[in-house]
Amino acid sequence: MEPVYTPVIGAALSLFRVMGWKVEVRGAEHIPADGPAVIASNHIGYLDFIFVGYGARDAGRLVRFAAKKEVFDHPVSGPLMRGMKHLPVDRDGDRMAVMREAQRRLGLGQVIGMFPEGTISRSFMPSGAKTGTARMAIEAGVPLIPAAVWGDHRIMTKGRKPNWQRGVHMMVGFGPAVEYDEGADTREVTQRMTEAITDLVTELQRDYPQVPADDEDRWWLPAHLGGTAPTPEEAEAIAREERIARRRARKAAREAEAATAGDRDGTAAVSGDDADPIEPDPVDPETGG
């Protein structure tokens, strides 16, 4: 029984009809009809999980996505995310918790949806995939299905105001499972997974039936296709600055909390050179690996 997921799907389908959004799905036959699997998709917008999940419906499957804990804490989205049995990822807490929960869910035969990049790509091209998604599939011994979505970033993506535009074409594609052997190297599998996702993205971009309305509308096209989106290198530089800013904000919050606690109990808070430094990115922030 899915008392939340089923009506949410119904609401999404109604929204598609009202907005005149056509969703084209390719390759759903690559998703197992039953049993566990991990779906790994590119990440270009805030609605990706809706459309990748919609595409999996053609295989008769419901996908449980890993998403930031903040989404679960929201008063509106939180109850829906929990009701649909998605997986919260606490980036400031136990980073392996999502892996343990995913393994448990896979043991129950569920399909887990992952965005290996860990954040939306401003270049709209796959890059910088973390190894946690491949590790998840390898450790559970389940199919690792590459996926791609295209078009929904025109509605809602990072750094732009939502644009509830009518008549937008959406495309979702799935490919054959990424091959791997028991005990395979996660980095090699991650590389093959990323290449498969990139091939699917390239295919969807090539066949996408709509074009920008004018020069100002070229923002949603990647730079190599004549769009004004940042190049992958520029997007990575922006993302790194954002990560540093977030770490600084978290560090400042911890220091403020420690100072408040010190004022209450008469002890001095740690600060200056004794405080935690801003460390470089870990190998895999998604899972801590």
Side-chain angles (χ1 to χ4, degrees):
M1 297 293 294
E2 295 290 342
V4 177
Y5 215 138
T6 300
V8 167
I9 290 173
L13 293 175
S14 296
L15 177 64
F16 296 171
R17 287 192 292 269
V18 169
M19 298 302 296
W21 294 343
K22 179 181 178 181
V23 185
E24 179 183 346
V25 180
R26 301 179 176 184
E29 68 274 9
H30 296 299
I31 303 173
D34 53 50
V38 173
I39 293 178
S41 174
N42 66 322
H43 201 7
I44 56 174
Y46 293 114
L47 303 181
D48 292 342
F49 76 99
I50 293 177
F51 291 98
V52 175
Y54 175 88
R57 289 179 64 254
D58 283 14
R61 305 305 302 271
L62 296 178
V63 184
R64 319 294 178 171
F65 287 93
K68 293 186 297 184
K69 178 178 177 294
E70 290 82 354
V71 180
F72 289 78
D73 294 337
H74 191 276
V76 176
S77 62
L80 293 175
M81 296 296 284
R82 289 188 291 273
M84 289 185 282
K85 304 174 186 175
H86 295 311
L87 290 74
V89 180
D90 185 357
R91 299 191 183 196
D92 296 325
D94 182 357
R95 291 172 176 164
M96 293 303 294
V98 67
M99 288 289 283
R100 293 191 294 269
E101 179 61 14
Q103 294 298 329
R104 186 185 75 81
R105 300 288 193 88
L106 291 169
L108 296 174
Q110 294 183 7
V111 177
I112 303 299
M114 298 292 291
F115 298 106
E117 294 165 89
T119 189
I120 290 173
S121 169
R122 290 180 182 269
S123 72
F124 305 132
M125 292 300 296
S127 64
K130 313 299 188 294
T131 59
T133 298
R135 184 184 304 121
M136 181 184 296
I138 293 169
E139 291 183 355
V142 304
L144 175 58
I145 311 297
V149 60
W150 190 251
D152 68 288
H153 60 304
R154 297 172 59 189
I155 305 300
M156 189 179 296
T157 192
K158 180 180 289 188
R160 297 190 67 89
K161 293 181 179 180
N163 176 26
W164 297 99
Q165 182 180 349
R166 294 181 56 82
V168 175
H169 193 91
M170 317 291 182
M171 299 181 75
V172 183
F174 302 94
V178 177
E179 295 185 2
Y180 65 84
D181 297 322
E182 183 177 354
D185 182 87
T186 57
R187 296 186 183 280
E188 293 181 2
V189 177
T190 297
Q191 179 62 33
R192 293 200 297 273
M193 174 191 72
T194 301
E195 291 171 355
I197 293 172
T198 301
D199 287 345
L200 286 169
V201 171
T202 301
E203 176 186 319
L204 298 187
Q205 291 171 342
R206 181 195 66 207
D207 297 342
Y208 193 65
Q210 296 178 330
V211 297
D214 50 39
D215 281 347
E216 289 186 2
D217 196 37
R218 290 191 299 121
W219 67 267
W220 55 267
L221 279 182
H224 74 280
L225 293 179
T228 56
T231 65
E233 294 76 18
E234 291 168 341
E236 174 53 33
I238 295 170
R240 180 167 181 80
E241 288 301 316
E242 291 175 340
R243 290 193 294 268
I244 291 173
R246 285 196 299 270
R247 290 196 184 96
R248 285 175 174 161
R250 289 196 295 264
K251 178 183 175 184
R254 288 196 301 269
E255 290 178 348
E257 183 179 353
T260 301
D263 289 342
R264 286 197 301 265
D265 62 19
T267 60
V270 176
S271 61
D273 293 337
D274 294 328
D276 292 338
I278 298 174
E279 297 291 349
D281 292 338
V283 171
D284 192 355
E286 179 184 44
T287 64

